[in-house]
Amino acid sequence: MRDSTVFLAKNPKNQYNCYNIDEGVQNMKHSEESTYERILAAAAKLFAKEGYAGTTTRQIVAEANASLASLQLHFKSKENLYYAVVEKTTKFFYTANASILDEINETDKRGLLDKETAWNLLVQLTAKMVEWAFCDEYRYEILLIQRELQNPSEVFEQLPDSLYDMFYYYEKLLKMLVDVKNDFEIKSVCFSVVMTLFDHSNYPRVLGRVLGCDVELPENKERVKVYVKNFMLSAIRTNLDRWNK
Amino acid sequence: MRDSTVFLAKNPKNQYNCYNIDEGVQNMKHSEESTYERILAAAAKLFAKEGYAGTTTRQIVAEANASLASLQLHFKSKENLYYAVVEKTTKFFYTANASILDEINETDKRGLLDKETAWNLLVQLTAKMVEWAFCDEYRYEILLIQRELQNPSEVFEQLPDSLYDMFYYYEKLLKMLVDVKNDFEIKSVCFSVVMTLFDHSNYPRVLGRVLGCDVELPENKERVKVYVKNFMLSAIRTNLDRWNK
C-alpha cells in the first residue's frame, strides 16, 4: 500500500480530473513550457502567502505575467492548479528519494528490517527530508504545505495520502525499533519529528529573531539543517530509550 | 529586562496608542462589556482563520453580532483590535503563571539558580505552557499566534517582545543546565520545544489523521498533553546529555 511506486503512479487526472502534467509539457514549445512553470510558481507563492481561499486566478496570472486563458488551458481551474502545485512538490520528494524509500519497502517485505537496518534507514530518510524541506526551489510549496497542515483549506482536506506517507515511513521504521508497541506514542513521535522539520524550514524570520541572527544566510542555513537533523534523530533516540528500558 | 512584572506593565496605549482595556471595561455596564468581549472573540476567530489582511472589520462585527460603531468605540481600528487580541492572550499566560515566572527571575537574580532548581523550574514551566496552549478558551488566539509565527503579517512584525519571552525563559534555564555554552544550539532547542507545543495544540485535524483518532475528544486531548510535555522535556534532556558529556 505504501510502496513509493504506487503513489508515484497515482495520476492526478484520475483522482481529480486534473490536467495531465507530463503529457502536456512534452508537447509544448519552450515558451509555453515556461508559462506553465511560471503559473505553477506564482500559484505556490500566492497560495502560501494568502491561502487558497484568499487567492484568485486573476492574481495568479498577474504574478506569473500570463493570461487567464493560458491558466485555463494548462490547469482548467484554481482547484486543479492547487493540486498540481502540491503534487509537483511531493512527487519531487518521492522521485528524488525513490532509492531509499524503495529500500525501506523492499527490506520490510523481505523481513530483513532488523533494528540496525531500521535505524540506518531512519538516519538516511531524515537527512533526505531535511534537504527537501530546506530546498530553495520549493520554498513556497513547503510553506504552503505547512500552512495547510496548520489550518487546512477545503481543497487540502481532499488531498490523497501522499503527503502523509512521510509520517508512515517513520512509523514503519520506528515500529521495528521498539520492543513494547505503543501506537499512540509512536505516531505522536512521527508527527513531532516531521513538524519540527517544517517549523525550522518555514520560520526564517521568527527563528532569526530567536537565534539573534539572519538564518537566511547560506552558512546559517547549513547550521540550522545540521541542527534539525540532529534534533529529529535525538528526539527519536530518547523516545526509543524510554520505551525499551 | 525579562521580569514578568515589566511586560505586564507594558500598556498597549503607550505602545500602539491603543484603547486602554482595563479602564474601559470597569466603566462599562454589563451589556457593553459583553459586546467588547464578543468583538475580541470574533476578531480572534477570523484573524486565526483568514489572517489579518484577509479579515475586515465588517466581517468581525457581523460575526460578533455588533455594530461597526461599537468596534470603533472600543478599539478605534482593526490594528488596535489585533493588538488587544494578542495582548489579552499573552497577558493571560503571564498573569496565570506569574508565580513561576517571578520565581525564575528571583532565583536567577539572587544567584540561586543551580542545576537542580533550574530543571525543576523548567519542568513546571513546561507544564504551565502545555496547559495554556491547550486551553479551549484561547483556541483561536493560539492558532493566530502560530499562524503569525509561520507567516507573519505586517502588524505582527511590530509586536513587542512579550511573545518571545517564552523562548527566553527556556533559554535562561537551559543556560544554567549546560556546562559548555553553545548559544546557537541552546536557542534552537528553545525554539523547537516551544514550536512542538504550538504544533500539537493547533493541528487537531492533521494530528487526528496521523494518530488515526479524534484528538478533539477530551480523553485524547489529555493524552496528547501528557505526550507533548514528556516530548518537550525529553528533547531538552537529550540535548543536555549530549552537551554535557
Side-chain angles (χ1 to χ4, degrees):
Chain A
M1 282 295 285
R2 300 273 166 208
D3 191 299
S4 69
T5 51
V6 170
F7 41 77
L8 278 175
K10 274 181 189 166
N11 188 328
K13 199 172 187 173
N14 302 334
Q15 296 252 330
Y16 316 110
N17 196 27
C18 169
Y19 186 82
N20 186 314
I21 297 168
D22 299 329
E23 260 175 37
V25 171
Q26 277 158 18
N27 297 332
M28 277 173 211
K29 291 188 188 129
H30 178 72
S31 65
E32 277 304 299
E33 206 171 329
S34 69
T35 304
Y36 176 91
E37 291 297 333
R38 282 208 315 279
I39 294 172
L40 263 186
K45 186 176 172 182
L46 290 170
F47 289 153
K49 288 184 165 230
E50 311 300 334
Y52 178 77
T55 302
T56 64
T57 49
R58 279 181 192 281
Q59 289 168 327
I60 294 168
V61 294
E63 174 79 27
N65 195 21
S67 65
L68 262 182
S70 61
L71 186 149
Q72 276 150 4
L73 170 74
H74 290 301
F75 302 98
K76 290 207 172 83
S77 69
K78 188 172 93 166
E79 194 176 343
N80 286 341
L81 174 53
Y82 171 91
Y83 289 125
V85 169
V86 178
E87 186 82 9
K88 188 188 165 197
T89 319
T90 52
K91 198 169 175 175
F92 171 79
F93 175 79
Y94 293 114
T95 309
N97 302 308
S99 65
I100 169 91
L101 300 176
D102 286 345
E103 197 179 334
I104 295 172
N105 285 323
E106 279 307 302
T107 321
D108 186 37
K109 266 186 210 156
R110 292 185 195 162
L112 299 171
L113 206 52
D114 59 29
K115 282 192 179 186
E116 201 188 329
T117 312
W119 180 255
N120 286 338
L121 288 168
L122 198 138
V123 172
Q124 288 177 60
L125 177 63
T126 303
K128 298 288 187 190
M129 285 188 60
V130 172
E131 285 307 321
W132 173 68
F134 280 84
C135 175
D136 277 333
E137 205 188 328
Y138 288 100
R139 217 177 119 215
Y140 290 118
E141 286 84 351
I142 299 285
L143 181 58
L144 171 62
I145 292 172
Q146 198 196 24
R147 184 192 179 112
E148 293 284 37
L149 288 171
Q150 179 198 325
N151 201 5
S153 69
E154 218 175 280
V155 280
F156 184 77
E157 299 259 12
Q158 288 157 44
L159 264 187
D161 281 339
S162 70
L163 196 67
Y164 291 92
D165 282 308
M166 288 178 209
F167 297 100
Y168 297 121
Y169 274 106
Y170 269 106
E171 201 184 322
K172 184 180 267 190
L173 294 172
L174 273 179
K175 277 191 177 160
M176 299 310 299
L177 287 161
V178 293
D179 304 325
V180 185
K181 309 291 180 205
N182 180 334
D183 257 18
F184 181 87
E185 293 238 331
I186 289 174
K187 287 178 176 181
S188 298
V189 169
C190 300
F191 178 81
S192 300
V193 297
V194 175
M195 290 300 147
T196 298
L197 176 67
F198 280 114
D199 283 339
H200 283 83
S201 62
N202 275 328
Y203 290 91
R205 278 185 284 188
V206 173
L207 187 56
R209 189 155 166 187
V210 173
L211 293 177
C213 65
D214 182 356
V215 287
E216 305 226 52
L217 287 174
E219 63 266 39
N220 280 330
K221 197 174 161 186
E222 289 310 309
R223 286 187 77 186
V224 175
K225 278 161 73 173
V226 171
Y227 165 77
V228 174
K229 200 186 79 184
N230 289 336
F231 185 88
M232 290 166 81
L233 291 172
S234 68
I236 294 171
R237 194 76 261 177
T238 336
N239 281 283
L240 288 177
D241 292 345
R242 198 152 51 89
W243 292 330
N244 289 344
K245 86 174 163 201
Chain B
M1 281 292 286
R2 300 272 167 212
D3 192 301
S4 68
T5 50
V6 170
F7 42 74
L8 277 175
K10 274 182 191 166
N11 187 330
K13 199 172 188 174
N14 302 335
Q15 295 251 331
Y16 316 110
N17 195 26
C18 171
Y19 185 81
N20 186 313
I21 299 168
D22 299 329
E23 261 176 38
V25 170
Q26 279 159 17
N27 297 333
M28 278 173 210
K29 292 191 187 128
H30 178 73
S31 65
E32 277 304 298
E33 207 173 329
S34 71
T35 304
Y36 176 91
E37 290 297 332
R38 283 207 315 278
I39 294 172
L40 263 187
K45 186 176 172 183
L46 291 170
F47 289 151
K49 290 185 163 226
E50 311 300 336
Y52 178 77
T55 302
T56 64
T57 49
R58 278 182 193 281
Q59 289 168 328
I60 294 168
V61 294
E63 175 78 26
N65 195 20
S67 65
L68 262 182
S70 62
L71 186 148
Q72 276 149 6
L73 168 75
H74 289 301
F75 302 99
K76 291 206 171 82
S77 68
K78 188 173 95 167
E79 194 177 342
N80 286 341
L81 174 54
Y82 172 90
Y83 289 125
V85 168
V86 178
E87 185 82 8
K88 188 188 165 196
T89 319
T90 52
K91 198 170 175 175
F92 171 78
F93 175 78
Y94 293 115
T95 309
N97 301 308
S99 64
I100 170 90
L101 300 176
D102 287 344
E103 197 178 336
I104 295 172
N105 285 324
E106 278 306 303
T107 321
D108 186 36
K109 265 187 210 156
R110 291 186 196 163
L112 300 171
L113 206 51
D114 59 30
K115 284 192 178 186
E116 201 188 329
T117 312
W119 181 255
N120 286 339
L121 289 168
L122 198 138
V123 172
Q124 288 177 60
L125 177 64
T126 303
K128 297 289 187 189
M129 286 189 60
V130 171
E131 285 307 322
W132 174 68
F134 281 84
C135 174
D136 276 332
E137 204 188 329
Y138 287 99
R139 216 176 121 217
Y140 290 117
E141 286 84 350
I142 299 284
L143 181 58
L144 172 62
I145 291 172
Q146 198 195 25
R147 183 191 181 113
E148 292 286 35
L149 287 172
Q150 179 196 326
N151 201 5
S153 68
E154 219 174 279
V155 280
F156 184 77
E157 299 259 12
Q158 288 157 44
L159 263 187
D161 282 338
S162 69
L163 195 66
Y164 291 92
D165 281 310
M166 289 178 207
F167 296 100
Y168 298 121
Y169 273 106
Y170 269 107
E171 201 185 322
K172 185 180 267 190
L173 294 171
L174 273 179
K175 277 191 178 159
M176 298 311 298
L177 287 161
V178 293
D179 303 327
V180 186
K181 308 292 180 205
N182 180 336
D183 256 17
F184 182 86
E185 293 238 331
I186 289 173
K187 287 178 175 181
S188 299
V189 168
C190 300
F191 178 80
S192 301
V193 298
V194 175
M195 289 301 148
T196 298
L197 175 69
F198 280 114
D199 283 341
H200 282 84
S201 62
N202 275 328
Y203 290 91
R205 278 186 284 188
V206 173
L207 187 57
R209 189 154 166 188
V210 173
L211 293 177
C213 67
D214 182 357
V215 288
E216 305 224 54
L217 286 173
E219 64 267 38
N220 281 330
K221 197 174 159 186
E222 288 310 309
R223 286 187 76 186
V224 175
K225 278 161 73 171
V226 171
Y227 165 75
V228 174
K229 201 187 77 183
N230 288 337
F231 185 88
M232 290 165 80
L233 291 172
S234 67
I236 294 171
R237 195 76 260 178
T238 336
N239 281 283
L240 289 177
D241 292 345
R242 197 152 51 89
W243 293 330
N244 288 345
K245 84 174 165 204

